[in-house]
């Protein structure tokens, strides 16, 4: 995720254009650098993917670690923190679907004893909302 604004960016000379990216957009760029299959990133990778200077990436990742948004591993890599999952699980749109589907998922599990997963499609992506693991 790059920090370059999309088309429709503020006009040159306006306060928004002079300030550049906000802290919030930089934090979201850092979080957006983590993608499926690449759940662990080092600081250089985060800096490259976001376009942030290494010092800025370090300052913001350190703050995200303190807040629980990221976790720092012993090897110096970062991964998404549990606190983000806790916050994300409060999203009402997906939560209602999950609550409705769980009894049906449990019935399916009892009938098959296999893995049962609930996912919501969003474009070409799937967001997995719940999983019941089978015996094997």
């Amino acid at each position: 995720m790059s920090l370059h604004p999309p088309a429709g960016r503020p006009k040159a000379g306006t306060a928004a254009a002079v300030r550049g990216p906000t802290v919030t957009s930089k934090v979201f760029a850092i979080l957006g650098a983590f993608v499926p299959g690449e759940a662990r990133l080092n600081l250089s990778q985060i800096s490259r993917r976001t376009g942030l200077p290494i010092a800025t990436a370090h300052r913001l990742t350190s703050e995200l670690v303190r807040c629980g948004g990221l976790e720092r591993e012993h090897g110096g890599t970062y991964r998404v923190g549990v606190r983000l999952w806790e916050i994300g699980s409060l999203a009402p749109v997906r939560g209602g679907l999950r609550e409705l589907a769980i009894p049906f998922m449990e019935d399916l599990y009892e009938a098959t004893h296999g893995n049962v997963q609930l996912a919501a499609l969003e474009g070409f992506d799937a967001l997995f909302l719940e999983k019941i693991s089978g015996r094997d």
Side-chain angles (χ1 to χ4, degrees):
M1 170 180 247
S2 176
L3 289 176
H4 301 292
R9 63 181 171 222
K11 291 183 182 179
T14 64
V18 173
R19 276 196 310 259
T22 65
V23 173
T24 304
S25 66
K26 292 174 186 178
V27 168
F28 270 91
I30 289 171
L31 296 174
F34 295 87
V35 296
E38 296 179 273
R40 290 173 170 77
L41 299 174
N42 63 36
L43 194 57
S44 295
Q45 291 169 312
I46 292 170
S47 175
R48 258 193 320 277
R49 288 181 181 196
T50 60
L52 292 171
I54 197 93
T56 302
H58 181 265
R59 178 176 52 82
L60 293 174
T61 54
S62 296
E63 190 162 345
L64 281 164
V65 168
R66 282 192 298 276
C67 297
L70 292 178
E71 295 175 1
R72 186 159 192 243
E73 298 180 325
H74 293 293
T77 58
Y78 296 88
R79 66 180 181 183
V80 173
V82 173
R83 182 67 182 130
L84 286 181
W85 179 84
E86 293 170 345
I87 293 168
S89 69
L90 299 174
V93 175
R94 302 283 181 343
L97 175 61
R98 183 182 166 277
E99 297 304 318
L100 287 171
I102 285 178
F104 298 100
M105 293 175 68
E106 290 170 343
D107 289 346
L108 183 56
Y109 171 78
E110 286 302 320
T112 64
H113 295 290
N115 293 332
V116 180
Q117 299 177 352
L118 173 65
L121 291 177
E122 195 165 299
F124 292 105
D125 296 324
L127 176 63
F128 286 88
L129 305 173
E130 187 63 58
K131 174 184 170 184
I132 300 174
S133 296
R135 292 183 181 163
D136 295 327

